[in-house]
Amino acid sequence: MFPVLDFHNHIFPENVARKIIDSVKKEKGFMPYGDGTVSGLLKEMKRSGVKESLILAVAVSPDLVKETNSWIIKQKGNGLVPIGSIHPFYEAYKEEVKRLKDGGIKGVKFNSLFQGFSPDDERAFPLYEEIIREGMFMIFHSGPGLLAKENEEILATPERIARVLNIFPKISMVVAHFGGAQMTEEAKKHLLGRDIYIDTSYPPGLCFQPKEWTIDLIERHDPERILFGTDTPFARQKEDIEYLLSLSISDDLKEKILWKNGRELLGLED
């Protein structure tokens, strides 16, 4: 068994976590596997043998940027690795990027579903430039989300994310959900095989996908740029790890996906 770094997890303050879990259950009839709290994630990590988990938060409005980052940074430790969040229209973005960088934070998460912008919105470009200048990476949600409504516009499509990559060729980018949740054909066309990282998160669980489908996506991308991720609490770490280990790919590639690639991106030594 290889050590495991889960590159995609969400945690929330306890009062917020309850509301989010209840929303997913009410809107989708889908009961998340965890409760979205810090203690819940630590229990899941222990159950699953996960050594480290990237923890993601989303600043849903400009006025919540500092509060969101201050909270997520405080959760560092016990195998939890925080990633920052900056709303694309936050005016004091330079100071906040510097605060994150000085605090040892290696990346910034963007989620168009909750932040209300398209990744290729030019108003976000100065923020991207600042993050690139500081040598940090960016994580983008891609595709519709669990709470997306029927016929709702998909703001973060693989094609729109690819435009960002074209404009900023030096960007260090992680695109979640194999490049596009429920949009794998578009991800194949616009993102897979390009100079980006993808993660394997696919709620309600990668373990529910056909193995041939997963292997096809993995084989289309640079083996050094695939990261294991689950989207916990909306999927289960243990089951997704077991599923990935069962795939007909080399042990070397399994170790890269589960551990080495993520550690290298974070600049951490084994």
Side-chain angles (χ1 to χ4, degrees):
M1 176 64 179
F2 310 112
V4 177
L5 165 58
D6 185 341
F7 220 84
H8 194 138
N9 303 272
H10 296 280
I11 58 170
F12 315 94
E14 292 199 7
N15 60 324
V16 176
R18 285 193 296 272
K19 293 177 182 178
I20 291 173
I21 298 302
D22 289 345
S23 288
V24 173
K25 184 178 179 181
K26 180 179 178 181
E27 297 290 336
K28 293 296 180 180
F30 160 63
M31 186 61 190
Y33 300 108
D35 62 9
T37 65
V38 176
S39 61
L41 176 57
L42 292 173
K43 288 177 183 177
E44 176 70 0
M45 289 170 64
K46 184 176 181 180
R47 180 181 84 94
S48 307
V50 171
K51 188 173 182 179
E52 294 177 327
S53 289
L54 238 70
I55 47 174
L56 308 173
V58 180
V60 297
S61 63
D63 61 306
L64 290 176
V65 168
K66 294 196 72 172
E67 178 183 342
T68 299
N69 286 328
S70 294
W71 183 82
I72 199 82
I73 290 169
K74 288 179 182 177
Q75 312 313 315
K76 183 177 182 179
N78 297 314
L80 302 182
V81 182
I83 294 300
S85 178
I86 302 178
H87 193 281
F89 309 144
Y90 181 60
E91 292 184 357
Y93 65 87
K94 289 186 178 181
E95 293 86 346
E96 192 64 9
V97 171
K98 186 177 187 305
R99 182 167 82 103
L100 292 173
K101 180 69 178 293
D102 290 347
I105 305 302
K106 303 296 180 68
V108 177
K109 170 70 186 289
F110 296 97
N111 192 320
S112 295
L113 297 169
F114 301 104
Q115 294 178 317
F117 83 110
S118 298
D120 58 347
D121 188 323
E122 293 184 2
R123 291 174 293 175
F125 289 0
L127 172 55
Y128 297 165
E129 290 171 350
E130 190 67 20
I131 295 170
I132 294 168
R133 188 177 297 115
E134 291 291 350
M136 302 166 72
F137 61 82
M138 298 174 227
I139 303 178
F140 289 88
H141 169 84
S142 181
L146 285 173
L147 295 178
K149 295 179 174 57
E150 189 175 354
N151 299 321
E152 182 178 345
E153 180 186 6
I154 301 172
L155 295 172
T157 64
E159 184 174 11
R160 284 173 164 168
I161 292 172
R163 288 184 191 137
V164 176
L165 184 59
N166 294 337
I167 294 168
F168 299 100
K170 294 183 179 180
I171 195 171
S172 180
M173 175 190 291
V174 179
V175 186
H177 317 308
F178 278 106
Q182 304 174 46
M183 300 186 76
T184 50
E185 291 305 313
E186 291 88 343
K188 291 176 187 178
K189 179 178 179 180
H190 297 289
L191 292 174
L192 295 188
R194 298 196 65 181
D195 192 19
I196 61 169
Y197 291 85
I198 60 171
D199 79 29
T200 67
S201 62
Y202 219 83
L206 182 63
C207 58
F208 296 112
Q209 302 303 317
K211 291 183 180 180
E212 297 78 9
W213 176 89
T214 304
I215 291 172
D216 174 57
L217 295 177
I218 288 173
E219 290 180 342
R220 291 173 182 270
H221 203 62
D222 183 346
E224 310 288 332
R225 290 178 171 269
I226 305 172
L227 308 166
F228 176 71
T230 61
D231 214 349
T232 296
F234 308 112
R236 292 173 286 187
Q237 291 181 328
K238 186 175 187 293
E239 285 74 6
D240 279 2
I241 292 167
E242 292 172 346
Y243 170 88
L244 194 141
L245 288 171
S246 75
L247 296 178
S248 297
I249 58 178
S250 70
D251 285 348
D252 179 64
L253 180 52
K254 291 174 184 176
E255 186 176 19
K256 286 179 178 178
I257 294 172
L258 287 168
W259 180 250
K260 287 187 174 181
N261 291 345
R263 296 280 291 182
E264 183 174 345
L265 179 55
L266 291 169
L268 301 175
E269 297 181 0
D270 291 340

